């Protein structure tokens, strides 16, 4: 899954999305902060490949993107909008293929601009990044070739605090950044960074009105933070493989960024530091039980604006939840299976 797949709906209920063999499933709180309902299928009966990108708009609508098989050896991308966790999501809508037709070209990413329009990014077969965006009054614009080098691994996409959409991708020898110059325009190829990057470790977060911050793991195993226009900073050693989860929150009166990752020991590791002040340092603190190797972690905030962390193990079918306690620091409740 690509993006923070823990989403707080407009009604305050938390919702998580997960993939099965041929569908996307949703689990949601029945009441904010209460018990969770069983998983249910999202977007109708179309069969999908087990891949999912999730993006959340300022209206708290969840935008979901996946690949579906079409004819033998070919696939197409599909999109659904989920307005509230306990409502049925819209049926999957075909949005095409970055190369017109063909098989899957990679896992997609989705970001939602200030007007609520989804922008879907995916590697093109051959080279570069493809994008398709919703029109303001319905429907989709044509696919665009955003150019650039060959994309390695999964791109990430987000809307900054300005509402303008950005995307990042690992490319041979480094990282590439695309950004809208003004709302409603296609993102353009921008700054590149020469750095060793482990594919599949990217996560991006809006960290100020001017900047987004990209987190990635380099070849030495360090978790690094990069904001275009500056130099990358090695924050601390990555706790484990894969991307970190990230959320901004207030800790003891300070704007902080909280990171979480399944550690090599199998537990969830947390680290926090003042937002955009990587020089202040950070360190991991592990929490909860040991998790299977396929467990993923996501971060969000609940109806009371408390930090929430969830871990999901597809093989074991276990969803565990913890929340921040109402006390100083980052004290968490005991992990609870739902």
């Amino acid at each position: 899954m690509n993006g923070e797949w823990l989403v707080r709906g407009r009604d305050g209920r938390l919702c998580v999305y997960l993939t099965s063999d041929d569908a996307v499933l949703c689990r949601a709180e029945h009441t904010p902060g209460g018990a969770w309902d069983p998983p249910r299928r999202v977007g109708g009966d179309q069969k999908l490949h087990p891949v999912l990108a999730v993006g959340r708009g300022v209206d708290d609508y969840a935008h979901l993107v996946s690949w579906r098989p079409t004819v033998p050896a070919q696939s197409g991308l599909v999109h659904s909008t989920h307005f509230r966790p306990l409502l049925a999501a819209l049926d999957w809508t075909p949005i095409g293929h970055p190369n017109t037709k063909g098989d899957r070209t990679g896992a997609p990413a989705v970001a939602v601009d200030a007007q609520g329009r989804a922008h879907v990014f995916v590697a093109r077969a051959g080279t570069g990044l493809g994008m398709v965006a919703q029109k303001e009054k319905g429907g989709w614009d044509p696919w665009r070739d955003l150019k650039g080098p060959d994309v390695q691994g999964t791109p990430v996409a987000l809307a900054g605090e300005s509402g303008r959409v950005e995307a990042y991708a690992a490319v041979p020898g480094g990282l590439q950044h695309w950004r809208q110059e003004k709302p409603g325009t296609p993102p353009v190829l921008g700054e590149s960074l020469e750095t060793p990057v482990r594919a599949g470790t990217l996560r991006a977060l809006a960290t100020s009105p001017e900047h987004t911050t990209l987190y990635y793991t380099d070849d030495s195993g360090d978790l690094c933070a990069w904001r275009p226009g500056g130099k990358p900073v090695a924050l601390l050693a990555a706790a484990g493989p894969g991307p970190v989860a990230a959320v901004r929150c207030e800790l003891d009166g300070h704007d902080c960024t909280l990171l979480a990752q399944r550690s090599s020991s199998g537990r969830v590791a947390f680290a926090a530091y003042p937002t955009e002040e990587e020089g202040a340092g950070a360190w991991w603190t592990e929490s909860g039980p040991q998790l299977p190797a396929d467990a993923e972690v996501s971060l969000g905030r609940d109806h009371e604006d408390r930090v929430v962390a969830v871990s999901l193990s597809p093989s074991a079918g276990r969803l565990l939840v913890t929340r921040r306690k109402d006390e100083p620091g980052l004290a968490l409740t005991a992990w609870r299976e739902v």
Side-chain angles (χ1 to χ4, degrees):
M1 293 185 286
N2 190 14
E4 295 293 358
W5 40 268
L6 168 66
V7 174
R8 182 183 65 192
R10 308 188 60 150
D11 52 13
R13 293 176 173 87
L14 294 176
C15 176
V16 299
Y17 297 96
L18 56 151
T19 60
S20 69
D21 289 341
D22 63 358
V24 169
L25 306 178
C26 161
R27 288 198 69 181
E29 292 179 320
H30 192 70
T31 57
W36 291 65
D37 288 342
R40 69 183 193 278
R41 194 178 182 114
V42 170
D45 296 328
Q46 293 184 48
K47 291 188 176 181
L48 306 175
H49 291 294
V51 62
L52 176 66
V54 182
R56 177 185 170 198
V58 294
D59 51 14
D60 290 333
Y61 296 161
H63 290 257
L64 313 174
V65 178
S66 185
W67 284 100
R68 66 161 183 168
T70 51
V71 298
Q74 294 193 28
S75 299
L77 286 159
V78 289
H79 168 271
S80 173
T81 307
H82 200 180
F83 298 109
R84 292 186 182 178
L86 294 190
L87 297 178
L90 297 181
D91 286 349
W92 293 107
T93 299
I95 56 175
H97 191 286
N99 294 90
T100 306
K101 65 179 181 179
D103 206 349
R104 289 169 286 172
T105 59
V110 59
V112 187
D113 69 12
Q115 289 72 42
R117 297 173 294 204
H119 292 62
V120 178
F121 299 83
V122 69
R124 300 182 75 248
T127 187
L129 193 68
M131 187 208 76
V132 66
Q134 283 182 311
K135 296 179 181 178
E136 192 167 358
K137 296 184 178 180
W140 293 79
D141 288 325
W143 276 91
R144 296 180 181 271
D145 179 4
L146 300 185
K147 309 296 182 182
D150 186 27
V151 171
Q152 299 180 332
T154 304
V156 294
L158 75 164
E161 289 188 12
S162 66
R164 287 184 287 180
V165 168
E166 303 182 36
Y168 295 88
V171 298
L175 294 164
Q176 190 70 60
H177 178 230
W178 293 260
R179 187 174 188 265
Q180 286 181 322
E181 294 182 338
K182 59 181 181 179
T185 62
V188 295
L189 193 62
E191 189 172 349
S192 60
L193 175 70
E194 290 187 14
T195 183
V197 180
R198 291 184 181 174
T201 64
L202 275 54
R203 178 75 79 213
L205 181 69
T207 49
S208 69
E210 300 83 18
H211 298 120
T212 60
T213 300
L214 178 71
Y215 299 95
Y216 67 94
T217 303
D218 67 14
D219 280 351
S220 69
D222 284 337
L223 178 64
C224 300
W226 176 53
R227 284 180 289 281
K231 295 181 178 180
V233 176
L235 187 59
L236 73 173
V244 296
V247 70
R248 282 174 63 192
C249 58
E250 185 178 295
L251 294 177
D252 301 334
H254 300 283
D255 177 5
C256 292
T257 296
L258 177 65
L259 307 174
Q261 190 173 36
R262 181 192 177 275
S263 71
S264 298
S265 74
R267 304 175 73 200
V268 178
F270 293 94
Y273 69 96
T275 298
E276 294 194 352
E277 296 182 24
E278 287 81 13
W283 54 92
W284 295 113
T285 300
E286 295 192 355
S287 173
Q290 284 196 323
L291 304 172
D294 65 343
E296 299 183 47
V297 183
S298 191
L299 293 172
R301 294 198 296 267
D302 69 7
H303 64 294
E304 296 179 341
D305 218 31
R306 292 180 298 172
V307 167
V308 180
V310 297
S311 71
L312 173 67
S313 170
S315 62
R318 297 183 69 198
L319 177 66
L320 302 178
V321 179
T322 184
R323 301 170 193 259
R324 185 186 175 198
K325 294 180 179 178
D326 188 16
E327 58 185 64
L330 189 62
L332 299 173
T333 62
W335 289 83
R336 179 173 62 93
E337 185 169 359
V338 299

